[in-house]
Amino acid sequence: VVSVHPLCQALPLKILNSLDTNGASRKEGRTTPFVTVVTDLGGAHPTWFNAGVDKCFVPSTVLREAAMRRGVKDEQIVQYGLPIRRGFWRFGADYSQSPTVENEAEEMKGVHHKPTIRDQLGLLDIPTVLIVGGGDGMGGIVSQAKAVGEKLQALASKRGDKDGPVSQMVVVCGNNKAAQMSLSPPETKWGSDIAVNVLGFVDNMDEYMRASDILVTKAGPGTIAEASICGLPCILSSFLPGQEEGNVPYVEENGFGCYRGSVEGIAETVESWLGSAKDIDGSVLEQMRDCALRAARPDATLDIARDLADMVYKRREELKKL
């Protein structure tokens, strides 16, 4: 049994004890393997952690320590990272360099080359800000996009480049059709010095993340883990009190982002980061990108699955001996 919810430890363990002992006990006697896979990142509710499990998979040192405070023993805890969807399982070692002609096929295996991805998505190969609001496109995405757009236009005017857009913004509105309509022409007219792509729900977020230089998002654990795998600096716009609050220091202490609770603060940070250097390489964004990749755990999903399969195999062999 694999639990991926904080409320599914204590009660399921009691039920398994009862089932495996034919109703003799709800406190002991379980023989069915039971593991918890914690899907929070920088903070978690105490009910995630129960000393009666066989294994507790945690994504961070903070949660390893939280588990131990709740009585889970060190040998029960496995720290691989946060399980994420398949598109984020592998990442490229170098997004900025083109593959050499003679080894192009080999080098592009598992390597996500940013200019190539931008071309495939129909984006320009210029500094890119990605704003997301989750599947429902919530979190003030309209006001955030408009404020960031104004700053990008102002930044372009300062530089005096008039040969076309010098930066672009991708806004993923999810299922929020009202937000998508509000940010699209003729409702909103963007300046000529920036390129803006307003999208609805997308199922290739991994590609849009790898095509971007800055991510504006709420502090959801999955999005943060995915961004780190893509080497994508984050501006966290909001968080749910409780389990998401700890994700803010996780990002800040790992050096790949910050929290800005106002649209003005978000827009000013975007302007500051993009304005720190004319080119992305060597800028504060490059430094944060390196920090994000150091925090990344792209193999976590497969590592967890491999351990689970091993537990199932061992249990099957034990049953054969009965």
Side-chain angles (χ1 to χ4, degrees), residues 60-91:
S60 64
T61 301
V62 172
L63 295 196
R64 170 183 282 273
E65 294 170 352
M68 295 181 72
R69 287 195 299 271
R70 292 284 294 177
V72 184
K73 296 178 182 179
D74 187 63
E75 58 267 26
Q76 293 173 279
I77 303 171
V78 183
Q79 184 178 335
Y80 285 139
L82 197 73
I84 36 80
R85 48 198 154 153
R86 187 183 185 116
F88 294 93
W89 286 357
R90 301 181 68 187
F91 62 93

Side-chain angles (χ1 to χ4, degrees), residues 231-286:
L232 184 57
C234 299
I235 301 175
L236 305 179
S237 59
S238 62
F239 58 84
L240 291 176
Q243 71 267 29
E244 287 186 353
E245 190 170 356
N247 297 337
V248 174
Y250 177 86
V251 169
E252 293 179 336
E253 290 169 10
N254 278 289
F256 65 97
C258 65
Y259 172 74
R260 295 290 184 266
S262 68
V263 293
E264 296 82 6
I266 292 169
E268 288 170 1
T269 302
V270 168
E271 180 184 37
S272 173
W273 288 359
L274 287 180
S276 65
K278 189 161 186 179
D279 298 316
I280 297 299
D281 294 342
S283 69
V284 63
L285 286 175
E286 179 68 11

Side-chain angles (χ1 to χ4, degrees), residues 10-23:
L11 184 57
L13 284 168
K14 289 180 180 179
I15 293 172
L16 286 175
N17 282 328
S18 179
L19 290 173
D20 290 346
T21 61
N22 292 318

Side-chain angles (χ1 to χ4, degrees), residues 92-144:
D94 191 346
Y95 293 29
S96 61
Q97 301 297 319
S98 298
T100 59
V101 175
E102 56 269 24
N103 295 317
E104 181 172 355
E106 187 62 30
E107 289 191 30
M108 288 302 287
K109 285 183 180 178
V111 176
H112 306 285
H113 184 232
K114 185 172 287 188
T116 301
I117 294 176
R118 286 174 174 168
D119 182 64
Q120 292 171 345
L121 293 173
L123 302 176
L124 299 174
D125 188 20
I126 53 179
T128 302
V129 181
L130 175 63
I131 302 179
V132 301
D136 293 323
M138 306 303 287
I141 194 169
V142 172
S143 58
Q144 291 170 12

Side-chain angles (χ1 to χ4, degrees), residues 168-249:
Q168 71 189 338
M169 178 171 64
V170 178
V171 187
V172 180
C173 299
N175 294 316
N176 191 338
K177 296 188 181 301
Q180 185 179 3
M181 185 177 296
S182 176
L183 292 171
S184 302
E187 294 291 326
T188 300
K189 295 182 179 179
W190 304 97
S192 59
D193 294 328
I194 61 171
V196 179
N197 292 263
V198 182
L199 309 171
F201 185 87
V202 302
D203 57 9
N204 57 337
M205 186 59 74
D206 55 307
E207 295 178 350
Y208 280 102
M209 282 194 180
R210 290 188 170 104
S212 302
D213 299 298
I214 297 174
L215 173 67
V216 178
T217 178
K218 78 179 192 71
T223 303
I224 290 171
E226 291 165 355
S228 69
I229 290 171
C230 296
L232 184 57
C234 299
I235 301 175
L236 305 179
S237 59
S238 62
F239 58 84
L240 291 176
Q243 71 267 29
E244 287 186 353
E245 190 170 356
N247 297 337
V248 174

